[in-house]
Amino acid sequence: MSPLTGRSAVALFLAFAFAYFLSALLRAVTATLAPMLGQEFHLQASDLGLLSGGYFLGFAAMQLPLGKWLDRHGPRKVQVGFLGVAALGCIVFAVSGGFSGLLMGRLLCGAGVSACLMAPLTGYRRWFTPTVQMRANAWMLMTGSLGMVASTLPVQWLLPVTGWRPLFWALAALLLLATAWIARQVPQWAVPEESAAAGVAGPEAGYSMVWRNAYFQRLAPLGFFSYGGMVAMQTLWAGPWMQKVAGQTALQAATGLFWINVCMLCAFWLWGMATPWLTRRGFDANRLMSRGLPLSLLVLAMIVVLGPAAGAAAWALFCVGSTFVSLSQPALALTFAQAQAGRALSAYNLVIFAGVFVVQWGVGLAVDGFLFAGFSTATAYQGAMAIYLVCNTGAYAWFLWRGRGHNAN
């Protein structure tokens, strides 16, 4: 199929972007709801970490079958089916009466929206030119940041009026609307005859060619800790930090999350504008990540040291500094054939969201562990973030070391 251009390309992008907007809102809304859910259901820090991480556990569990289905059936069929599961998850969450029901709803939501980024990126590998793919990836992430913006102050303003349960009924309805839009707008998916040789069927039908890929191995720790950790901070732990360490109210913390996500939105918009220009001047994804990611490490170290003095501005700077790692997704897709792109992207997404789950829950366990040992709340959070900083630094060091071999670039 020839690359799409003009109105058809824009219409295709908008259909996918609306679904991804909703998925990002669902992903991040627990950071805003955490105080209310914690009070209503008597949840501890580890419970909140597991509840928020349940979304990512369901998300990660679907990535391997998702990649095969995307390569074989295409983005439209796969995304339409998955969004129905997400709508069901919202309904389960809305009617739940305890922690187990909330967790089940989050698992279904995570599984249901697990194709919202991988489906368009798989399609873009075929429908867009390489330069446009880099831009479209950045702007998809921008719409995700817009969804996260919507999950902060707008949700905080709605809660006293509607409560959190009607919010999830409304999200279920919007997900069904997104399903209809994608079914109408996204092209059919034709598997080329040569796809068997490229890996859709036959000996390479699975993921072995992805796991063995040297560049995938180079990116995996970075995706797990840096990318996954950025999402974990943005969607959960930045909020509790601002309340329990910096001493802010729930409204102040929601306002801080709002501006963090606005900064992320602007960062991804700028990446979409700048990536083609940077690529033409020899700044590829590896070079940009090598030079840019130390910023996030330095800011995270500053957050650990400053403790209560580190608020929304510090967390915004950390998240923006971490956006360099988002360049790894389209870079990885371009190293594989079109018929393998779905599996390559889904395998990497599995790594990322397994990292989100581990970091979200792990930070909660670390905080509870430090509190049990007699440390203050602020010190417990600082200790948990210091452990995360060590993991993040190790992932960056692995990325640099593996880059010395030409086959890992």
Side-chain angles (χ1 to χ4, degrees), residues 8-387:
S8 58
V10 172
L12 174 72
F13 176 86
L14 290 176
F16 280 130
F18 179 60
Y20 189 57
F21 166 85
L22 294 174
S23 75
L25 197 161
L26 273 172
R27 179 197 309 171
V29 75
T30 46
T32 303
L33 297 179
M36 181 176 292
L37 294 176
Q39 183 176 9
E40 182 173 340
F41 295 98
H42 308 290
L43 305 179
Q44 297 179 342
S46 57
D47 297 322
L48 285 172
L50 180 57
L51 182 61
S52 183
Y55 170 102
F56 301 103
L57 182 61
F59 196 109
M62 296 308 302
Q63 291 305 301
L64 294 185
L66 172 64
K68 291 184 178 181
W69 294 337
L70 284 172
D71 285 336
R72 182 172 294 120
H73 303 294
R76 185 173 74 173
K77 287 184 179 180
V78 173
Q79 181 119 332
V80 164
F82 272 59
L83 287 176
V85 176
L88 176 62
C90 288
I91 294 171
V92 170
F93 198 92
V95 302
S96 61
F99 178 76
S100 59
L102 294 174
L103 182 58
M104 178 57 67
R106 289 294 288 172
L107 285 167
L108 288 172
C109 286
V113 300
S114 60
C116 284
L117 184 58
M118 294 303 97
L121 292 188
T122 300
Y124 296 163
R125 179 66 179 86
R126 177 181 297 190
W127 296 322
F128 293 160
T129 63
T131 301
V132 175
Q133 286 177 51
M134 299 291 286
R135 172 171 285 174
N137 175 78
W139 284 351
M140 284 294 295
L141 295 174
M142 180 188 72
T143 63
S145 296
L146 185 60
M148 293 184 185
V149 168
S151 75
T152 55
L153 278 181
V155 170
Q156 188 71 35
W157 292 331
L158 281 174
L159 287 176
V161 179
T162 65
W164 61 271
R165 295 182 190 272
L167 172 67
F168 278 84
W169 282 103
L171 285 171
L174 290 173
L175 285 165
L176 293 177
L177 176 62
T179 302
W181 191 357
I182 287 171
R184 177 180 176 84
Q185 191 64 54
V186 177
Q188 290 281 4
W189 188 259
V191 179
E193 294 180 1
E194 64 272 18
S195 61
V200 173
E204 293 293 322
Y207 283 83
S208 60
M209 82 291 185
V210 179
W211 309 133
R212 295 196 308 263
N213 183 275
Y215 189 51
F216 179 90
Q217 293 171 4
R218 181 187 180 191
L219 290 176
L222 209 61
F224 189 93
F225 288 110
S226 297
Y227 207 150
M230 173 189 71
V231 176
M233 298 302 118
Q234 184 185 9
T235 57
L236 179 61
W237 289 116
W241 175 284
M242 286 186 281
Q243 292 186 67
K244 297 185 178 182
V245 179
Q248 298 180 359
T249 65
L251 180 59
Q252 289 173 326
T255 303
L257 289 170
F258 173 86
W259 287 112
I260 289 171
N261 289 307
V262 168
C263 290
M264 293 290 283
L265 187 156
C266 295
F268 286 126
W269 178 79
L270 289 172
W271 275 125
M273 296 297 294
T275 300
W277 183 87
L278 291 168
T279 302
R280 289 194 298 268
R281 283 155 181 79
F283 288 90
D284 64 1
N286 294 329
R287 189 176 179 185
L288 289 167
M289 287 188 287
S290 297
R291 296 188 178 186
L293 283 174
L295 171 62
S296 66
L297 300 177
L298 290 173
V299 175
L300 185 58
M302 180 187 72
I303 290 172
V304 172
V305 172
L306 292 179
W315 282 110
L317 188 56
F318 167 75
C319 290
V320 169
S322 299
T323 61
F324 283 88
V325 76
S326 68
L327 301 172
S328 60
Q329 282 177 312
L332 180 67
L334 288 168
T335 66
F336 288 86
Q338 289 184 7
Q340 299 170 335
R343 278 162 291 163
L345 286 165
S346 294
Y348 188 55
N349 220 34
L350 170 62
V351 172
I352 293 170
F353 283 91
V356 178
F357 174 75
V358 169
V359 172
Q360 284 198 335
W361 195 15
V363 168
L365 291 173
V367 168
D368 285 345
F370 282 118
L371 290 174
F372 183 77
F375 291 91
S376 67
T377 299
T379 304
Y381 273 85
Q382 287 174 281
M385 294 304 169
I387 294 173

